Amino acid sequence: MAARFPDGGLDFIYQADEILVRSGRLDEVRAVLGAGNRREGREGEDAYDRSLDGVTRFSLSAASVDFEVLDAVAEVDRALGPWIATPNHFLSVTPVVPCPATEPDQVPPDIQPDPGVCDASGTGVSIYVPDTGLLAGAPDAHPWLAGVTGEVDGLPPPDPYGVVFIPEYSGHGTFIAGVARCMAPASTVFVTSDFTIAGALSEFELVLRLNEALGFGVDIISLSAGGTTRLNLPLLSFESFWNRYRSYSGVQLVASAGNNSTSRPFWPAAFPRVVAVGALDAQRRGRAYFSDYGSWVDVYAPGEDLVNAYATGTYQYREPPRIGEEAAFDGMARWSGTSFATPLVSGLIAARMSRTGESSRMAADALLAAARAQNIPGVGPVLLPCDTGDRGRDCCCGCGCGCGRGSHGH
């Protein structure tokens, strides 16, 4: 479901027929909504699902509540105050809540990734990427992806004419893994296929998966997804994750700041102790037109016109000005979004960790300090990658890739 502003603009998206409630306030919420005793819903579903500590997923239909989601939450607000109950927001990697900012562009068949492969290793560092999965064959087709593993990002079968049409969200996870690996070529990268239904996942389900990731012993979680929320309040379900995350001092969450070109908080990037990544433009001298901004954005990194691994097949454009046009792709693409600035920063953290022996949070703090020292007026703290392209730079300042140059304009 989508909540919209009076002018038709998208406010946020959410799961129909259920809300999230602070577990200690369940009885009060049930009384406010006129819910009966615990009841069985469709296929034996309980009205209450205590899968997260401190947050309960409350099924309006199973509880026989005569409220739609937004009406139910508004009623709880009036009776008990805000942030007791919220929608179960959807977080997205696709242009539905624009992330990535653009649709993929064709590139020449012999093109190399841009930014190119750094000389920093990332040895011994693990990066966990909750996303759309990993395209089959991509690690074999692209040297910088060799050894990357993950759940399959499956393309549809060919149509009767032998054409494979690429869904709008396919290849996202593979592109992200490629960007991270270019920054830290020897890092261990695992890509999940969580955002598989129109590139979206509910906040509640995402937290379940992130809780699992904490138990895997990963160093960096690179999350190129998020969303805006009702009344701009923090995601309620993330309180459960937050309590665990704070105790895992060796794990750093890096998240995209969103592509709405506003200062409105984009969650979970806007949480403290999460590295919120905005995007620089293609010239790397200003903020990309699509990037969110504000005091909650920690760092800006290149996110416009990046080139990396993508799907093979035909893509049909869904956004203006190319609606309905088709383009053939052969395993590479040029793409823009804070989605892609995010793994760049994750990879730089991994590279610094392997070079210095720092934990992920120590490395992130050091890089953010370097980024603040490289502040671009009107933009904010900036990190640049090592670059094997033609922009005249060999590496960033403070990225930890080991070049030792330390100033702009190489």
Side-chain angles (χ1 to χ4, degrees):
M1 301 289 291
R4 296 191 176 275
F5 294 113
D7 64 0
L10 186 65
D11 188 357
F12 58 89
I13 53 177
Y14 61 95
Q15 174 68 54
D17 295 329
E18 65 184 40
I19 61 175
L20 302 180
V21 180
R22 293 186 180 277
S23 298
R25 309 297 295 271
L26 267 173
D27 289 343
E28 296 170 84
V29 170
R30 184 177 61 198
V32 167
L33 299 180
N37 294 325
R38 183 181 177 116
R39 294 187 57 175
E40 295 295 313
R42 292 185 295 271
E43 299 181 0
E45 176 192 13
D46 287 333
Y48 317 118
D49 180 352
R50 291 179 174 86
S51 295
L52 292 177
D53 293 338
V55 179
T56 295
R57 182 165 52 183
F58 184 99
S59 172
L60 299 178
S61 58
S64 299
V65 171
D66 293 328
F67 283 96
E68 298 294 331
V69 167
L70 298 185
D71 293 335
V73 173
E75 189 69 15
V76 174
D77 282 359
R78 283 190 289 270
L80 304 177
W83 217 36
I84 303 300
T86 72
N88 186 9
H89 299 90
F90 271 113
L91 310 179
S92 175
V93 302
T94 73
V96 175
V97 179
C99 187
T102 65
E103 296 179 278
D105 287 318
Q106 289 174 295
V107 291
D110 58 348
I111 197 167
Q112 295 298 303
D114 184 10
V117 180
C118 272
D119 59 2
S121 69
T123 301
V125 181
S126 60
I127 303 175
Y128 181 89
V129 180
D131 213 276
T132 63
L134 184 67
L135 291 165
D140 296 327
H142 306 293
W144 61 94
L145 283 173
V148 171
T149 59
E151 299 165 349
V152 175
D153 181 353
L155 295 174
D159 69 9
Y161 301 98
V163 178
V164 174
F165 280 96
I166 304 169
E168 59 186 331
Y169 51 87
S170 287
H172 191 265
T174 301
F175 197 102
I176 283 165
V179 173
R181 259 304 189 82
C182 284
M183 299 299 100
S187 60
T188 299
V189 179
F190 183 81
V191 188
T192 70
S193 57
D194 293 326
F195 293 84
T196 55
I197 302 177
L201 185 71
S202 76
E203 57 170 289
F204 191 91
E205 292 295 333
L206 177 59
V207 169
L208 292 177
R209 288 156 173 77
L210 293 180
N211 281 339
E212 291 179 356
L214 292 178
F216 295 155
V218 302
D219 297 300
I220 301 164
I221 300 173
S222 187
L223 177 64
S224 292
T228 49
T229 60
R230 178 180 178 269
L231 304 180
N232 295 328
L233 292 170
L235 297 165
L236 184 59
S237 60
F238 268 73
E239 283 207 338
S240 169
F241 172 73
W242 192 251
N243 291 333
R244 295 192 65 199
Y245 174 63
R246 286 186 301 177
S247 68
Y248 282 76
S249 58
V251 183
Q252 179 63 62
L253 176 58
V254 184
S256 56
N259 305 314
N260 299 311
S261 192
T262 74
S263 61
R264 185 181 181 187
F266 193 78
W267 306 96
F271 279 105
R273 289 303 323 173
V274 174
V275 177
V277 184
L280 293 174
D281 62 19
Q283 288 72 42
R284 304 181 181 181
R285 291 292 182 259
R287 178 173 56 86
Y289 71 92
F290 52 79
S291 179
D292 286 351
Y293 55 90
S295 61
W296 56 274
V297 179
D298 296 300
V299 65
Y300 295 83
E304 186 173 24
D305 291 344
L306 273 59
V307 176
N308 219 290
Y310 184 60
T312 297
T314 297
Y315 184 84
Q316 185 175 66
Y317 289 95
R318 298 156 175 86
E319 301 291 329
R322 294 182 288 183
I323 294 177
E325 292 182 18
E326 294 181 359
F329 288 83
D330 190 23
M332 294 286 287
R334 191 183 310 276
W335 219 347
S336 299
T338 59
S339 275
F340 311 127
T342 299
L344 192 153
V345 172
S346 296
L348 293 181
I349 294 171
R352 182 179 177 92
M353 289 174 64
S354 66
R355 182 173 66 89
T356 65
E358 295 169 334
S359 71
S360 58
R361 292 191 187 176
M362 292 172 62
D365 287 344
L367 285 178
L368 291 179
R372 289 190 290 271
Q374 301 170 168
N375 182 81
I376 294 179
V379 178
V382 167
L383 284 176
L384 298 175
C386 60
D387 192 340
T388 58
D390 60 1
R391 294 193 175 101
R393 303 183 195 93
D394 299 308
C395 65
C396 80
C397 313
C399 75
C401 67
C403 73
R405 301 207 181 191
S407 65
H408 279 298
H410 305 325

